[in-house]
Amino acid sequence: MARLSLWKDGKHSNDYKFFDRRISEMFTVGGTGILCHKYLGPIAQGAQITTTGVSTVNTDVLTVSNTGNVNLGDTITCSNVPTNAKVIAKNATTITLSANITANIASGTTVGVSQYASQPSYTNQSEKNIQDLLWLENRDRKYDTDVYKMRGIYQRQDQDFDLSQFGLFLQTGTIFMVFHLRDMVDLIGRKLMNGDVLELQHLTDYDALDQDVPAALKRYYVVGDASFASEGFTPTWWPHLWRVKLNPLVDSQEYKDILNNITVGNNNTPISQILSNYDKNIQVNDAVIREGEANVPLSGYDTSSLYVQPESIPPQPLRTADDVVDKADEIHDTADEGLLTAQDVPYAYLSGDKVAPNAVAMGMGIQFPQNALSGEFFLRTDYLPNRVFRYDGKRWVAINDVQRTSLTQGANNQTQLGTFVNASGSFVNADGNTVNVKQSLSKALTPKADN
Amino acid sequence: MSAPSNYFYDGQIRRYISQFIRMMSDFYVAFGADRNGNISYQRVPVVYGDQSRQAATILRNNSENTLNSVPAMAVYISGLSFDQARLQDPTFTQTMQIRQRHFDNETGTYTSQEGQSYSVERLMPAPYKLTLKLDIWTSNTEQKLQLVEQLSQLFKPALELQSTDNYIDWASLTYVLLTDTTWDSRSVPTGSEEPISIATLTFEMPIWISTSVKVKKMGVIQKVITNFQELETMAEIGQTVTTVNNYGIMLYNVGSNYFLKLLKPSDIVTANTYGIDAVTAQHSWTQLIGEYGEYRANSSEIRISTPNDSEIIGTIAINPTDDSVLIFNPFNDTLPANTMQNINAIIDPLTVNVNSFLTNPAVGTRYLLVNDVGDYENGSDGAEAWKGTSGQNLVAHANDIVEYNGNFWRVVFDSQLVDSLQYVTNLTTGIQYKWQHHQWTKSYDGVYNAGEWMLVL
């Protein structure tokens, strides 16, 4: 009689199967419902183009549909193309690689083009891909649109909120949940892994403070770590349980594929708008900005309400030999008497504005008016910054530059920094190409393919 | 409930923080292409980090299921210390003279004309160093790099910040100095824990914390307008006192109402029978006041310097039917108080009409005499009109005040004996008179020359 042994030399014995079925049944009987959003791998970044002809082995040219998004030095990702092959030349329909292809590439094959070698443009959707090989992270993740129903078991425990600078966090929000290994693999095709997102249906919150939300608040967790559960080993020494460490989900870039694509309510509201505190944080932020804008609408100081005492005789321009003899009506202390002078502008740091002293009438434009009267003010809008002038009878005297500007980030911010960051527009060069004004320092006027 | 007088709060640090949050706001991060190939940009919210637990609960919708959004930035105060190095004269006071444009209440806009004028006194504020931390929570390294690259280029090493755009606020301008950067709150290797990744930028902001200012009506400056270039010696500075357009004023009363008229040096002032001054020339108060500011009825003031170095202060209102006349409402406590009972009239005992006011006066009737009456040396037979019911003679000197006691007249103010300053009002004219230097003169009615009055608008 053979000696009694539940270990069967590495085989999954009937004992194992017996145990496994009983354990699976226990999950069916006592487990809680879990909806699994399966991680499929990073979303393809960079450009994806398609070959339009057959490329034969040991050649380095790919015929493609369009090379508009291809630049010299770009990394090519495609089956039968050596790893890290780069584009060394291109024309409208072909790209030349830095290495020969290892096998024929059929027409209609997808070719990935990426600017950075460490961020390949994958042509296959796989959990094995890593989006950024420098930082070793997957930022833009793709999730299966199908939702897998699973059963899991975990131990409930009381939890407290941790008040951080970013709001309330569940201090003990991490939970450990076990799943039946074989059922899990049979269902989703693999074990749960880091990045899979699980919805715990039994924690759905139907009683949020805001009762106007169009749906109950679902509870999401993301798998942090996963390993065999120690309690899942039977006397056969084979594991039956998969233990995952679940962290509360956050509304981050990584999970936008779930949060932006699940909609609820009659208006198909993305679930991120219901679950996330992003909108509220933006509202809070906007309120603070509005308060700041009320206190300082524009940079510098507001002197517009100040009254400027007119002076009787304005400064006269220097006379030159070319000056004609004064005419009878050029009497200083009559025509110009009492008009505001350049010296009348109250000094205040960065107070130049688009108003004349005492807000007297002022025209504006890109050229001075003809037949201007002595003492007349004019805003030249073609000057950057705009400049206020005053006509003293012989010349237009610069009074002040318009220095006041919004300090809020955005197009209205005309500070020196703002005009660089917010530079917009483009121009057409001599070759007829449109050139954007705002460019990265590292890429401005870099050479282009000239083969 | 009105605020206690010693209460003061202007939200100064609050303004610094709100401006700092504004400075750090509206930054974006780019997300990679989504499943449709679209690249998106997300604005990074900036909130105050030391929030209350209840507010945080409300923002979380009172639910465990709310998702915290990332990336996010939080600002909080990590220190506020007195900056001894920037301490200046703590008692220093600076006064600004501010003239505003006229504000048209009907249109709600400023006009191009001159409006209110103020003097603003500012006391040296206290220097402090405010230390702020900006925590940047990101979910991946690329996000962090995007934000750090956008933020860090701003500070070379500082960026200016304003808490107000008020021209008067001398403490509003400061700068934000980047002093330290902590790349990540996590350590490498991370281990089994999964803490969130927070980068921290530390900033220092030299700020001023001010007390309230004193806002006063501008007036003093308008009294003395001197062209120093015309002075030959410094001694002349103290002697050159001018008033607006070198006008004098005439203060007179009609009954209990007081009025002011402008006087040029060439104007002739006459007095009527009762001694009330009058002038025929008319000069416009409206025009004069308009040159210096905006007049506010019953609020603008005129201050008159009296010879005894006191001031008579009162509000003014332009007579709606004659702008050469200013209605003057003196503050009672600036008027000299009577030191004696009022007199009924001033009379000349030699020419007075003898009637019932003299022969049958009410008890307590008092007259001020401008001439002698009776004779001490001829006490047996005085003037009949002044004799008492039992034939008592009245002997009095000019400037004496006599009173009828029901039986006879008696001297109640002996001008020969009194040297002290006395005030008394003539009920007939309402004019108060002053006894000084052994003569009666008008107490404050009369003419004041240029330099002896000022206009406070």
Side-chain angles (χ1 to χ4, degrees), chain A residues 316-317 319-320 323-332 394:
Chain A
Q316 298 300 306
R319 294 187 176 279
T320 68
D323 275 350
V324 296
V325 176
D326 284 350
K327 292 179 291 186
D329 58 352
E330 285 189 358
I331 302 172
H332 294 159
K394 295 185 180 297

Side-chain angles (χ1 to χ4, degrees), chain B residues 23-60:
Chain B
M23 177 186 287
M24 297 301 169
S25 297
D26 278 331
F27 286 96
Y28 284 77
V29 293
F31 293 163
D34 62 13
R35 62 171 59 221
N36 299 317
N38 299 319
I39 293 175
S40 60
Y41 297 87
Q42 179 165 304
R43 185 180 141 198
V44 182
V46 188
V47 298
Y48 185 62
D50 190 15
Q51 54 196 281
S52 75
R53 203 170 193 88
Q54 188 185 48
T57 300
I58 294 170
L59 292 175
R60 205 183 161 84

Side-chain angles (χ1 to χ4, degrees), chain A residues 37 199 214-220 249 251 255-265 268-277 279, chain B residues 65-67:
Chain A
H37 297 269
E199 177 191 342
L217 305 184
K218 301 173 185 292
R219 172 71 74 87
Y220 286 102
L249 193 72
D251 175 22
Y255 311 111
K256 293 295 184 186
D257 196 47
I258 298 173
L259 299 173
N260 286 349
N261 291 323
I262 297 177
T263 58
V264 295
N268 292 326
T269 306
I271 198 170
S272 60
Q273 291 186 16
I274 298 170
L275 285 178
S276 172
N277 64 1
D279 287 347
Chain B
N65 295 1
T66 296
L67 307 182

Side-chain angles (χ1 to χ4, degrees), chain A residues 81 95 131 154 168 196 209 218 244 275 281 287 333 392 419 439:
Chain A
V81 172
I95 56 176
Q131 180 180 354
Y154 74 106
L168 289 170
D196 287 331
L209 186 62
K218 301 173 185 292
V244 294
L275 285 178
N281 281 343
D333 56 355
D392 70 357
T419 55
Q439 296 190 30

Side-chain angles (χ1 to χ4, degrees), chain B residues 106-121:
Chain B
E106 291 187 1
T107 62
T109 57
Y110 285 99
T111 70
S112 296
Q113 306 303 312
E114 184 174 0
Q116 305 287 339
S117 300
Y118 299 98
S119 295
V120 180
E121 293 181 20

Side-chain angles (χ1 to χ4, degrees), chain A residues 415-449:
Chain A
T415 61
Q416 186 191 37
L417 277 171
T419 55
F420 274 86
V421 175
N422 304 314
S424 59
S426 59
F427 61 92
V428 179
N429 64 12
D431 296 334
N433 298 321
T434 300
V435 180
N436 291 324
V437 173
K438 181 179 178 180
Q439 296 190 30
S440 297
L441 178 63
S442 63
K443 297 181 179 59
L445 304 182
T446 48
K448 58 186 178 181

Side-chain angles (χ1 to χ4, degrees), chain A residues 45 143 159 161 165 168 205 210 217 219 247 251 257 275 277-278 286 292 300-301 304-305 307 349, chain B residues 19 33 35 43 53 60-61 63-65 67-69 99 101 112 135 139-140 160 162 165 172 194:
Chain A
Q45 303 295 311
Y143 285 87
Q159 50 194 9
F161 282 106
Q165 63 271 52
L168 289 170
D205 189 349
D210 182 3
L217 305 184
R219 172 71 74 87
N247 298 314
D251 175 22
D257 196 47
L275 285 178
N277 64 1
Y278 176 76
D286 282 343
Y301 293 93
S304 62
S305 65
Y307 179 75
Y349 180 62
Chain B
Q19 292 299 331
R35 62 171 59 221
R43 185 180 141 198
R53 203 170 193 88
R60 205 183 161 84
N61 217 354
S63 174
E64 297 176 3
N65 295 1
L67 307 182
N68 288 315
S69 173
R99 297 170 187 267
R101 290 161 51 201
S112 296
D135 281 355
S139 64
N140 56 63
E160 285 184 350
Q162 275 185 258
D165 69 343
S172 65
E194 297 180 71

Side-chain angles (χ1 to χ4, degrees), chain A residues 349-367:
Chain A
Y349 180 62
L350 293 179
S351 64
D353 210 345
K354 293 181 179 178
V355 292
N358 292 342
V360 297
M362 178 175 67
M364 65 171 66
I366 60 173
Q367 62 181 15

